[in-house]
Structures are given as structure tokens and as C-alpha cells.
Amino acid sequence: MRLLLIGPPGAGKGTQAARVAHAYGIPAISTGDIFRANVDEGTPLGLQAKEYMDRGAYVPDELTNSLVLDRLAQTDAGAGFLLDGFPRTLAQVYTLDDCLEATDGGLDAVVQLTIDTDEIVQRLLRRAKEQGRSDDTEDVIRKRLDVYQEQTHPLVAVYADRGILVSVDAKGDVGDVTERIFGALGGRIRRAEG
Ligand code: AMP
């Protein structure tokens, strides 16, 4: 099963991705986490990515696409995966399409997490204090929201046109949001045992 979680920064994608992926027995693949791990390890990719991340910009597609294609080719992603934070641009959508076509099919569902801007800014400022992420300052948060609106929000319509989009209200308790996601995915996807 192949899922994608899409939504603005601060919608809780990372938290929900881990919970949903666990329930379905598939890996959660987060490009943000992969970039942050590279930044922490000081790899050449990390050094390049940090420049963009610190100012709230997207890492260029040529760096991002190859990283995701390599990750999807690993054996644990063979039976399915949950993508968190990729694709984020139309070019990335087409890269993913080509990759999945070369295997045996596309995404089963795209879950859009919806939340209003005030709630997002509050959540991200809270996270800045708790996790000390360098891209969680107020200026960078606003920039990231603008970039999301411009470059990523249009993807929602693309997946809606394909008939695979479900929208879930991301406000409120973490467990309630997870249950809403399971509800929205409905009977079409069976959860793993345990
Ligand atoms: P996230 O943890 O998903 O909020 O991602 C943190 C940052 O990593 C983003 O603001 C971007 O700078 C970068 N990033 C993550 N995923 C992508 C992507 N698919 N395309 C470009 N940049 C990305």
C-alpha cells in the first residue's frame, strides 16, 4: 500500500505519518527527516540542503528526487510506504509517477491534513522551543507557509482530480486525528496485525 500525507508545515504530518505507517506495517519516509539526518552528520548533501532549509526554501528537485528514488528502491519499501513531505512540487509529482509506473502502480491514497494558519504558527513556535529546529523561527515559519501555499498546495487539486484524495481535519488531539485518518481511508486499506 502506498500512501502520501500532504499538508502545511505544522499540520502534524511527521507525528501522524509514524502512527499510520506503524498501523499499516509500512515504512514512513520523510524527506525532511532524511535531510535533517544529513545535516546532523555533516554530509555533502546535508551541507547543501541546510542552506535552503534554514531560510524556509525548498531543497532543489535535483537533490531531493534522487534521494527519494534511492529510498523507495530499498527492500523495506517494496510492500508499500507512507511518504511524508514528498512530493512537494509538481516536478516531484511527475518524478514519483514515473518511479511508481516503473513498478506496478500509483499511490492508493493521498491524505490531506487541513488546519488554519493561526493554529499552525502557534504549533510551530511551540515546537521551536521544544526541539530547537533552526527553521522554526517566526520569519522562517511564515516563509515556509508561503512556499507551501505557492508550490505544494496546488498538488492537492492534482490528486483530487485523480480521485485518490481524502481530507482530514488536523486540529485537536493527536489520537483523534489518527482515528480520523483511519476513518477517511475507510475499508479500502487493511491495517496490519498488532
Ligand atoms: P519538513 O520536515 O517536511 O517540514 O521539511 C523540512 C525542510 O526540508 C523543508 O522546509 C525543505 O527545506 C526541506 N524539504 C523536505 N522535503 C522536501 C521536498 N520534498 N522538496 C524540497 N525540500 C524539501
Side-chain angles (χ1 to χ4, degrees), residues 90 93-94 97 153-165:
L90 267 180
V93 169
Y94 300 135
D97 287 346
H153 188 67
L155 274 47
V156 167
V158 171
Y159 288 118
D161 280 351
R162 295 183 184 182
I164 54 171
L165 185 82

Side-chain angles (χ1 to χ4, degrees), residues 136-190:
D136 274 346
T137 63
E138 188 153 358
D139 279 358
V140 178
I141 288 169
R142 294 202 184 280
K143 166 78 179 165
R144 289 167 64 212
L145 288 170
D146 287 348
V147 172
Y148 174 82
Q149 207 50 39
E150 252 169 52
Q151 298 202 45
T152 306
H153 188 67
L155 274 47
V156 167
V158 171
Y159 288 118
D161 280 351
R162 295 183 184 182
I164 54 171
L165 185 82
V166 296
S167 289
V168 170
D169 180 1
K171 204 169 167 169
D173 180 75
V174 168
D176 291 347
V177 177
T178 311
E179 286 307 316
R180 271 177 228 145
I181 294 174
F182 291 143
L185 289 172
R188 72 166 116 168
I189 295 167
R190 205 166 43 87

